[in-house]
Amino acid sequence: MTNPAHAVTYDFEFSFVNKDVHGGGTVTGIVRGLTEGRSSQTSVEVLTNSDNFGINSYSFPFISIWDVKNGEITFVDFVSRSDNLNDLVSGCCVLHFFIFPDTGDAEGILRDESVPSGSGEGDFGLRFTPVPLTPVPLPASGLLLMAALAGAVGHRRWKQAHS
């Protein structure tokens, strides 16, 4: 009997300069849970923004299309509002990623709904950097179980030798 293969999930750090919105802040964050091929649901978090807005999770997207090939993001079209209910009441914030298939150029925009995105041509410079996969360690309980079994076998042999 063979064990079923588990899909590898990838995490990516992202960064972009929000050129047309609020004066050009630098935005960074992380995308979690993508798989090889096409993914539609993931977790996206904005971790820093030098303009100090929109730092939150974005996990209920209007659009969520992610293509990963050989551990690299090759296409994305993602639009979501902030999960923070206080932000939603005030109309903040919308996060948008897009990679243009013809050129490979990428845009990232983080804005509140009261501010237009500016030129309408997008803010180029979005970069995704793969987070290295970490091996899953053997749980300590497994090592303790093996030690206990070895001790029981050793004790039994010692007892037989001294009987």
Side-chain angles (χ1 to χ4, degrees), residues 4-99:
H6 295 284
V8 174
T9 59
Y10 298 100
D11 296 343
F12 294 87
E13 294 174 338
F14 66 83
S15 65
F16 62 92
V17 175
N18 212 23
K19 290 190 271 186
D20 290 341
V21 182
H22 294 292
T26 300
V27 179
T28 67
I30 191 162
V31 178
R32 292 188 175 91
L34 297 177
T35 57
E36 193 73 20
R38 178 153 286 182
S39 299
S40 62
Q41 188 60 30
T42 191
S43 169
V44 177
E45 294 176 60
V46 172
L47 301 175
T48 66
N49 181 357
S50 60
D51 281 335
N52 295 316
F53 74 94
I55 299 170
N56 206 350
S57 61
Y58 294 78
S59 58
F60 301 106
F62 307 124
I63 301 170
S64 185
I65 302 168
W66 300 83
D67 288 346
V68 176
K69 184 175 181 181
N70 299 320
E72 298 288 331
I73 295 176
T74 58
F75 177 78
V76 60
D77 189 1
F78 177 86
V79 180
S80 182
R81 290 182 94 173
S82 169
D83 293 352
N84 184 334
L85 294 178
N86 292 330
D87 283 348
L88 292 176
V89 170
S90 66
C92 183
C93 288
V94 175
L95 177 65
H96 181 203
F97 298 137
F98 191 75
I99 293 179

